[in-house]
Amino acid sequence: MAFWYLGTPQTRNHLRNSLPDNVVVQRIEEKLCVLGNCVVCNDDVALTHTNLDKETEELIEDVLGVEVFTHAVAGNILVGSNCALSNRGGLVYNDLATCWLPEMHIPFAAPL
């Protein structure tokens, strides 16, 4: 689990105490604060906002154990706002399915 750097020490401790020991809790110091809009991922890959710091991308890769691709979704850099991924597939709106998906060269393990 990765969360934005303004989380307090109490928040981090609460998360660590509430989650199983095998869940990694990592604070990310990033100028872009709404990570749910900036990152979309499954167990294999993550798409990230084109303006995320390289350090943030590396933390996402390390903490989540995924391959990170910096990519806009049909020209929109808020990837988490425009698609959803799981290990069984992904959701995108109709316009993306016809104009953006054929251009993708990212190895999703599930169909979009």
Side-chain angles (χ1 to χ4, degrees):
M1 170 181 281
F3 66 95
W4 191 46
Y5 76 98
L6 287 182
T8 65
Q10 293 84 4
T11 301
R12 285 192 305 275
N13 288 336
H14 175 71
L15 286 171
R16 285 190 179 113
N17 293 334
S18 300
L19 296 168
D21 291 337
N22 64 337
V23 175
V24 176
V25 176
Q26 177 65 48
R27 183 177 81 162
I28 291 180
E29 297 188 26
E30 171 62 53
K31 64 182 180 270
L32 300 171
C33 62
V34 184
L35 292 178
N37 288 335
C38 299
V39 179
V40 62
C41 67
N42 63 15
D43 285 351
D44 301 304
V45 298
L47 295 179
T48 62
H49 188 292
T50 57
N51 295 334
L52 280 184
D53 293 336
K54 185 66 176 165
E55 294 170 1
T56 299
E57 291 176 16
E58 291 171 357
L59 277 172
I60 291 168
E61 200 167 56
D62 292 342
V63 171
L64 300 180
V66 296
E67 187 173 2
V68 173
F69 296 90
T70 300
H71 205 289
V73 174
N76 191 323
I77 57 179
L78 295 176
V79 294
S81 298
N82 287 283
C83 63
L85 295 178
S86 77
N87 292 330
R88 299 187 67 186
L91 298 172
V92 296
Y93 59 88
N94 284 339
D95 292 343
L96 289 182
T98 57
C99 71
W100 175 69
L101 288 178
E103 300 172 5
M104 289 299 296
H105 301 289
I106 296 174
F108 293 109
L112 293 177

